[in-house]
Amino acid sequence: MSGDYQLRCPTCGLRITDRYSSFCPAGHPGLLVTDYPERTLSLSGQPGIFRYESWLPVRGRLPFTGGTVTYQSDGLAEELGLAHLFIGFNGYWPERGADLVTCSFKELEAVPSMLRATERTAGILVVASAGNTARAFCQVSALTGIPVVIVVPQSALPRLWTTEPAPAALVIGVDGDYADAIAYSTALAAVDPRLIVEGGARNVARRDGMGTVMLDGAVTIGRIPDHYVQAVGSGTGGVAAYEAASRLIRDGRFGGRLPILHLAQNLPFVPMVAAWEEHTRDLQVGPGTPYTEEAEQWVSAPVLTNRTPPYGVPGGTYDALEATGGEMYAISNGLARAAGTLFTDCEGIDLDPAAAVATASLIQAIEMGTIEPGSRVLLNITGGGYDRVVEDHTLVPTPAGYRVPAGNPDDEIRRDVITWVNDHA
Ligand SMILES: Cc1ncc(COP(=O)(O)O)c(C=O)c1O
């Protein structure tokens, strides 16, 4: 049955019966992995992400038809001299059938995460985000009426919009940065047992939702690609691609080799690139390192500046890079801008700055010889179509219900949030 799965600890292999666990009961810190009873991938006949529902940790569906659109590139492929370049487009581009209206692959995470939350009795998610993730969760709330609490830095509020009003999304703007929003969201979730911290990379619904980019790529190409290219901040998309490819190998119909992961960050904030160059799990971030709050200010793709990515943890990005013989790239703003322009000129759609970073890393990989011209390449365009979406939709700002100082929620917020939960649970 769709929605059946077991969680497994990547360290000790223990199978965990509680389908909502985030940690191994034996105390191992690794990211739990889903094992689905269906060894072969069955396609449901549904559009978008629910085509892959047999490998999603959810029961039922939401009224949501968006998903990745994978197509073989002509223009960019020719420009770069690649014989088999496939683009996994995640964003808004109706001419190609791409219908993620908040313009990023974060909708692929939001949909299964929110659906899975509705299965639980204590089921209102509290999500901390600096941008695209918050917008995606608000949009899914707008479409479905599922309540959600969103905590963002106040600077991210202008990027919070949906294509329909989202009355069941409670938005809290924190006077601080992404790290402050995460800390506040954790404290807020403790206010009422019906609130649950969404969990980021630990949330298997998020990873398996993102993994559908790889599934759609392999189904379109007819086999697992040789190379997978993505820009990363948390690295979760890379881990998800690796996990999805591992399932496809067990399926047996899509080839037996993992794709080599090519993951990119945006200079000057490139802590994972530096750690991977040293081949260490030990990530150096913060004061005394080059990867400070100051460095974060200079990147063209702020969504790529996560200070606590699940990099060294078992089952995280380091392990995914190791397993696939992966590479990492440090991309300057100038190279990203030029690559983004080239992509738009060749393919005909605007990109999220993060997707421009990914495109630049593909160019660098070809120049370095880490991607060969004859190989099959899946380029994950994680976001795009912002110029296109405003032609078809009116963007509705999602206002902050509260603007609060960083720290712990005060008594008034606690009272108000409990009242809000009573009204929405
Ligand atoms: C458009 C876009 N691309 C890439 C990323 C990085 O994703 P990951 O979580 O896989 O590191 C993000 C993260 O927010 C994003 O919004």
Side-chain angles (χ1 to χ4, degrees), residues 197-412:
V197 178
E198 176 276 324
R202 291 207 166 271
N203 173 357
V204 291
R206 237 173 130 151
R207 298 213 306 280
D208 291 357
M210 275 178 153
T212 61
V213 178
M214 175 58 71
L215 301 184
D216 199 69
V219 167
T220 306
I221 299 167
R223 51 177 268 196
I224 297 167
D226 302 310
H227 301 280
Y228 171 84
V229 184
Q230 194 203 308
V232 291
S234 74
T236 313
V239 174
Y242 157 68
E243 290 175 341
S246 306
R247 284 186 193 110
L248 290 167
I249 289 177
R250 283 192 290 277
D251 176 313
R253 294 172 297 165
F254 296 91
R257 261 215 333 248
L258 286 167
I260 297 172
L261 297 187
H262 299 262
L263 307 181
Q265 294 205 283
N266 193 182
L267 283 164
F269 193 86
V270 294
M272 287 195 275
V273 185
W276 183 242
E277 264 169 18
E278 298 291 323
H279 219 76
T280 169
R281 287 179 188 270
D282 185 18
L283 202 72
Q284 301 287 328
V285 180
T289 78
Y291 313 116
T292 56
E293 279 182 57
E294 160 73 8
E296 284 179 34
Q297 313 302 317
W298 294 100
V299 303
S300 61
V303 293
L304 304 180
T305 60
N306 188 315
R307 263 183 268 160
T308 53
Y311 170 78
V313 66
T317 311
Y318 179 94
D319 283 337
L321 285 163
E322 178 93 328
T324 66
E327 302 275 351
M328 288 208 74
Y329 305 83
I331 301 296
S332 69
N333 291 344
L335 282 182
R337 240 188 322 272
T341 304
L342 178 69
F343 186 99
T344 303
D345 290 348
C346 292
E347 301 292 330
I349 191 78
D350 62 290
L351 293 188
D352 187 287
V357 168
T359 306
S361 72
L362 170 61
I363 296 170
Q364 206 168 87
I366 296 165
E367 285 168 2
M368 288 165 57
T370 49
I371 289 184
E372 325 75 40
S375 57
R376 283 175 172 71
V377 180
L378 178 60
L379 171 62
N380 186 346
I381 292 296
T382 49
Y386 296 92
D387 295 343
R388 183 65 190 81
V389 77
V390 291
E391 293 174 23
D392 294 352
H393 293 278
T394 304
L395 308 188
V396 185
T398 316
Y402 296 91
R403 288 170 183 262
V404 298
N408 283 322
D410 65 21
D411 287 345
E412 188 190 338

